[in-house]
Amino acid sequence: MNSAAVFPISSLIVGIVLSLTLGFPLSWGILFAILVTLVSVKKLGFSWGQQFSFGWDGIRQTKPVLIILFLVGLLIPLLMMGGTIPAIIYYGLSIVNVEYLLVLSFILTSVVSYLLGTSVGTLSTIGLSLMGIAHAADLSAGMVGGALICGAMVGERFSPISSSRMLVLSHVGMTEKQDRATQGAARLTTIICAVLFLVLDLFREQAGSGDSIRMYQELLTSHFSISWGALIPLFVLIAVFAFRVKAIYALLCGVVASLVLVLSGGPITLSTLAGTILYGYEPQTGTLLDELVHGGGMISILSVLLLIVLAGFLNGILNKANLLTPFVERMMGVTKNKIALVGKSMAISLLVVMISCNQTIPILVMGSTLIGRFSQFTRGKEFLGKTMLDSTLVMPVLIPWNGLAMVIAISLGVSTIETLPFLFYSLLLPIVTLISSRRFGEKEAGMIPNTKKAM
């Protein structure tokens, strides 16, 4: 195998593992991989200038993610300052039964994500609200975050207006009807996840007694102006996402609505507003609210922005130097067995997701590379589409340095490492799909009967 491809990918894995093991920033691991990649690609005849141009193209491709993170960094402190998040927590504690918050979070975000067709829009609205309730009820942020992300990914997988799902369908040449007929594994996994979160609710240590909830509600009303009017920015966000406005413009609408609410709440100095946006919101009440309603700000996301820039730079070189596709081709080899083919595809999908920094590149690389191999089987396009929808599509949230995972982590205020053990949907769906792949095309309800034999 060409060492020019092996060295960069191996160095990335080694760098990430060492960073996580030794407690160094992840950006150090990616920087190490960039240095190895520059040397390796130089040996292929690409000049330093060409490589930096490739890297710059990769950074430009991450621009939407960078802008979304920037807007989220603006939005969260404004929502706190204007009283939107305090109002959400107050009303949520009155409405939501926190004893079953995990399964409720999973179901609610699944429904909202299906309707909106966007995981980012769902988690930056409903997800952020439920996370605030979880903090007030003293529940594990990792558990609740995991339930929220799982629900958001259910919507990504099933929603007819999910852009990532539509990209998979169009790239492999699969229709909506064909997808609906191959969703058995995804539906079963959704039910399994709901049961798992219900079991966690039933057997976890219950927190958030009635007295503590009332105490938080009293603190919220004493330090914030709690009213339904404070929820206007949330309604604006939900509305613009529901009308399929792009995430950047939708978040910008939320920022504007939140800023208007803050300015209409009373006199505020420019330095106070700028300080909150830059360093995050700190209520400084001297009560438990200081831990419940705080955070955000641009300073807190600088390291994340740097990580995305470095990942984009590395990915740009690998793509433009055409190292990724040949690497995947060689790793796949020749496979005639269905389960082996699906297993290899999923493993390499995870590797490509680790190397890239978004959902799009793995879908494009894996789709174009695998279509020929899956075509040897009856209904090969459907087989490939099902495999990618149940693996490649849902895997990015598992990788801490992936752009989608970082946007979600910033939106919810909980790291991917904390939520990882509870990301049941993204962990279990590939396994369930792998197990069911042996009989694909032989006997599935609603499918066209198989009339050909696999080559």
Side-chain angles (χ1 to χ4, degrees), residues 56-70:
W56 179 246
D57 286 340
I59 293 173
R60 286 195 298 181
Q61 290 181 356
T62 68
K63 185 170 67 173
V65 178
L66 295 173
I67 295 174
I68 288 173
L69 275 173
F70 176 81

PDB file of all heavy atoms in Angstrom, residues 56-70:
ATOM      1  N   TRP A  56      -5.619  25.131   2.367  1.00  0.00           N
ATOM      2  CA  TRP A  56      -6.485  26.303   2.435  1.00  0.00           C
ATOM      3  C   TRP A  56      -7.852  26.008   1.830  1.00  0.00           C
ATOM      4  O   TRP A  56      -8.881  26.447   2.364  1.00  0.00           O
ATOM      5  CB  TRP A  56      -5.832  27.481   1.711  1.00  0.00           C
ATOM      6  CG  TRP A  56      -6.674  28.729   1.700  1.00  0.00           C
ATOM      7  CD1 TRP A  56      -7.241  29.320   0.621  1.00  0.00           C
ATOM      8  CD2 TRP A  56      -7.054  29.517   2.820  1.00  0.00           C
ATOM      9  NE1 TRP A  56      -7.952  30.429   0.987  1.00  0.00           N
ATOM     10  CE2 TRP A  56      -7.861  30.583   2.346  1.00  0.00           C
ATOM     11  CE3 TRP A  56      -6.798  29.435   4.189  1.00  0.00           C
ATOM     12  CZ2 TRP A  56      -8.403  31.544   3.187  1.00  0.00           C
ATOM     13  CZ3 TRP A  56      -7.341  30.399   5.038  1.00  0.00           C
ATOM     14  CH2 TRP A  56      -8.135  31.425   4.529  1.00  0.00           C
ATOM     15  N   ASP A  57      -7.876  25.226   0.753  1.00  0.00           N
ATOM     16  CA  ASP A  57      -9.159  24.809   0.174  1.00  0.00           C
ATOM     17  C   ASP A  57      -9.956  23.984   1.182  1.00  0.00           C
ATOM     18  O   ASP A  57     -11.182  24.103   1.273  1.00  0.00           O
ATOM     19  CB  ASP A  57      -8.930  23.990  -1.099  1.00  0.00           C
ATOM     20  CG  ASP A  57      -8.488  24.851  -2.273  1.00  0.00           C
ATOM     21  OD1 ASP A  57      -8.727  26.077  -2.229  1.00  0.00           O
ATOM     22  OD2 ASP A  57      -7.902  24.297  -3.227  1.00  0.00           O
ATOM     23  N   GLY A  58      -9.260  23.142   1.925  1.00  0.00           N
ATOM     24  CA  GLY A  58      -9.929  22.345   2.958  1.00  0.00           C
ATOM     25  C   GLY A  58     -10.510  23.197   4.062  1.00  0.00           C
ATOM     26  O   GLY A  58     -11.613  22.934   4.552  1.00  0.00           O
ATOM     27  N   ILE A  59      -9.781  24.234   4.450  1.00  0.00           N
ATOM     28  CA  ILE A  59     -10.282  25.150   5.480  1.00  0.00           C
ATOM     29  C   ILE A  59     -11.522  25.879   4.988  1.00  0.00           C
ATOM     30  O   ILE A  59     -12.494  26.071   5.727  1.00  0.00           O
ATOM     31  CB  ILE A  59      -9.180  26.156   5.889  1.00  0.00           C
ATOM     32  CG1 ILE A  59      -8.043  25.429   6.612  1.00  0.00           C
ATOM     33  CG2 ILE A  59      -9.755  27.257   6.792  1.00  0.00           C
ATOM     34  CD1 ILE A  59      -6.848  26.309   6.905  1.00  0.00           C
ATOM     35  N   ARG A  60     -11.499  26.286   3.710  1.00  0.00           N
ATOM     36  CA  ARG A  60     -12.658  26.993   3.161  1.00  0.00           C
ATOM     37  C   ARG A  60     -13.903  26.109   3.159  1.00  0.00           C
ATOM     38  O   ARG A  60     -15.025  26.601   3.309  1.00  0.00           O
ATOM     39  CB  ARG A  60     -12.345  27.476   1.745  1.00  0.00           C
ATOM     40  CG  ARG A  60     -11.404  28.674   1.712  1.00  0.00           C
ATOM     41  CD  ARG A  60     -11.393  29.353   0.372  1.00  0.00           C
ATOM     42  NE  ARG A  60     -10.912  28.457  -0.691  1.00  0.00           N
ATOM     43  CZ  ARG A  60     -10.783  28.818  -1.952  1.00  0.00           C
ATOM     44  NH1 ARG A  60     -11.114  30.034  -2.324  1.00  0.00           N
ATOM     45  NH2 ARG A  60     -10.332  27.954  -2.850  1.00  0.00           N
ATOM     46  N   GLN A  61     -13.713  24.808   3.003  1.00  0.00           N
ATOM     47  CA  GLN A  61     -14.856  23.895   3.042  1.00  0.00           C
ATOM     48  C   GLN A  61     -15.465  23.797   4.438  1.00  0.00           C
ATOM     49  O   GLN A  61     -16.621  23.424   4.591  1.00  0.00           O
ATOM     50  CB  GLN A  61     -14.432  22.500   2.562  1.00  0.00           C
ATOM     51  CG  GLN A  61     -14.131  22.445   1.074  1.00  0.00           C
ATOM     52  CD  GLN A  61     -13.741  21.051   0.622  1.00  0.00           C
ATOM     53  OE1 GLN A  61     -13.623  20.130   1.426  1.00  0.00           O
ATOM     54  NE2 GLN A  61     -13.521  20.898  -0.668  1.00  0.00           N
ATOM     55  N   THR A  62     -14.678  24.122   5.463  1.00  0.00           N
ATOM     56  CA  THR A  62     -15.199  24.082   6.836  1.00  0.00           C
ATOM     57  C   THR A  62     -15.868  25.397   7.231  1.00  0.00           C
ATOM     58  O   THR A  62     -16.344  25.522   8.356  1.00  0.00           O
ATOM     59  CB  THR A  62     -14.073  23.786   7.851  1.00  0.00           C
ATOM     60  OG1 THR A  62     -13.160  24.900   7.915  1.00  0.00           O
ATOM     61  CG2 THR A  62     -13.304  22.529   7.468  1.00  0.00           C
ATOM     62  N   LYS A  63     -15.895  26.359   6.326  1.00  0.00           N
ATOM     63  CA  LYS A  63     -16.437  27.683   6.657  1.00  0.00           C
ATOM     64  C   LYS A  63     -17.850  27.634   7.235  1.00  0.00           C
ATOM     65  O   LYS A  63     -18.128  28.317   8.235  1.00  0.00           O
ATOM     66  CB  LYS A  63     -16.397  28.594   5.417  1.00  0.00           C
ATOM     67  CG  LYS A  63     -16.833  30.023   5.710  1.00  0.00           C
ATOM     68  CD  LYS A  63     -16.536  30.939   4.537  1.00  0.00           C
ATOM     69  CE  LYS A  63     -17.406  30.588   3.344  1.00  0.00           C
ATOM     70  NZ  LYS A  63     -17.261  31.577   2.236  1.00  0.00           N
ATOM     71  N   PRO A  64     -18.772  26.834   6.663  1.00  0.00           N
ATOM     72  CA  PRO A  64     -20.113  26.787   7.271  1.00  0.00           C
ATOM     73  C   PRO A  64     -20.096  26.337   8.731  1.00  0.00           C
ATOM     74  O   PRO A  64     -20.824  26.887   9.564  1.00  0.00           O
ATOM     75  CB  PRO A  64     -20.850  25.777   6.380  1.00  0.00           C
ATOM     76  CG  PRO A  64     -20.148  25.835   5.074  1.00  0.00           C
ATOM     77  CD  PRO A  64     -18.711  26.043   5.417  1.00  0.00           C
ATOM     78  N   VAL A  65     -19.255  25.334   9.037  1.00  0.00           N
ATOM     79  CA  VAL A  65     -19.169  24.845  10.417  1.00  0.00           C
ATOM     80  C   VAL A  65     -18.603  25.933  11.330  1.00  0.00           C
ATOM     81  O   VAL A  65     -19.086  26.142  12.451  1.00  0.00           O
ATOM     82  CB  VAL A  65     -18.300  23.570  10.493  1.00  0.00           C
ATOM     83  CG1 VAL A  65     -18.181  23.089  11.936  1.00  0.00           C
ATOM     84  CG2 VAL A  65     -18.889  22.472   9.621  1.00  0.00           C
ATOM     85  N   LEU A  66     -17.584  26.632  10.852  1.00  0.00           N
ATOM     86  CA  LEU A  66     -16.971  27.702  11.652  1.00  0.00           C
ATOM     87  C   LEU A  66     -17.975  28.819  11.924  1.00  0.00           C
ATOM     88  O   LEU A  66     -18.044  29.343  13.050  1.00  0.00           O
ATOM     89  CB  LEU A  66     -15.746  28.258  10.922  1.00  0.00           C
ATOM     90  CG  LEU A  66     -14.565  27.294  10.740  1.00  0.00           C
ATOM     91  CD1 LEU A  66     -13.494  27.931   9.855  1.00  0.00           C
ATOM     92  CD2 LEU A  66     -13.978  26.912  12.084  1.00  0.00           C
ATOM     93  N   ILE A  67     -18.747  29.176  10.915  1.00  0.00           N
ATOM     94  CA  ILE A  67     -19.744  30.243  11.095  1.00  0.00           C
ATOM     95  C   ILE A  67     -20.830  29.796  12.071  1.00  0.00           C
ATOM     96  O   ILE A  67     -21.267  30.568  12.941  1.00  0.00           O
ATOM     97  CB  ILE A  67     -20.364  30.640   9.738  1.00  0.00           C
ATOM     98  CG1 ILE A  67     -19.298  31.253   8.830  1.00  0.00           C
ATOM     99  CG2 ILE A  67     -21.513  31.625   9.938  1.00  0.00           C
ATOM    100  CD1 ILE A  67     -19.789  31.543   7.421  1.00  0.00           C
ATOM    101  N   ILE A  68     -21.275  28.544  11.952  1.00  0.00           N
ATOM    102  CA  ILE A  68     -22.301  28.030  12.872  1.00  0.00           C
ATOM    103  C   ILE A  68     -21.792  28.060  14.304  1.00  0.00           C
ATOM    104  O   ILE A  68     -22.506  28.488  15.228  1.00  0.00           O
ATOM    105  CB  ILE A  68     -22.711  26.598  12.464  1.00  0.00           C
ATOM    106  CG1 ILE A  68     -23.553  26.639  11.187  1.00  0.00           C
ATOM    107  CG2 ILE A  68     -23.498  25.912  13.590  1.00  0.00           C
ATOM    108  CD1 ILE A  68     -23.861  25.269  10.604  1.00  0.00           C
ATOM    109  N   LEU A  69     -20.552  27.621  14.516  1.00  0.00           N
ATOM    110  CA  LEU A  69     -19.981  27.652  15.862  1.00  0.00           C
ATOM    111  C   LEU A  69     -19.875  29.080  16.391  1.00  0.00           C
ATOM    112  O   LEU A  69     -20.146  29.348  17.569  1.00  0.00           O
ATOM    113  CB  LEU A  69     -18.596  26.995  15.859  1.00  0.00           C
ATOM    114  CG  LEU A  69     -18.568  25.485  16.021  1.00  0.00           C
ATOM    115  CD1 LEU A  69     -17.150  24.965  15.823  1.00  0.00           C
ATOM    116  CD2 LEU A  69     -19.096  25.064  17.377  1.00  0.00           C
ATOM    117  N   PHE A  70     -19.476  29.988  15.521  1.00  0.00           N
ATOM    118  CA  PHE A  70     -19.381  31.405  15.908  1.00  0.00           C
ATOM    119  C   PHE A  70     -20.744  31.929  16.365  1.00  0.00           C
ATOM    120  O   PHE A  70     -20.863  32.601  17.404  1.00  0.00           O
ATOM    121  CB  PHE A  70     -18.858  32.214  14.724  1.00  0.00           C
ATOM    122  CG  PHE A  70     -18.805  33.701  14.966  1.00  0.00           C
ATOM    123  CD1 PHE A  70     -17.757  34.264  15.671  1.00  0.00           C
ATOM    124  CD2 PHE A  70     -19.816  34.522  14.490  1.00  0.00           C
ATOM    125  CE1 PHE A  70     -17.721  35.635  15.901  1.00  0.00           C
ATOM    126  CE2 PHE A  70     -19.784  35.888  14.712  1.00  0.00           C
ATOM    127  CZ  PHE A  70     -18.725  36.448  15.418  1.00  0.00           C
TER     128      PHE A  70
END
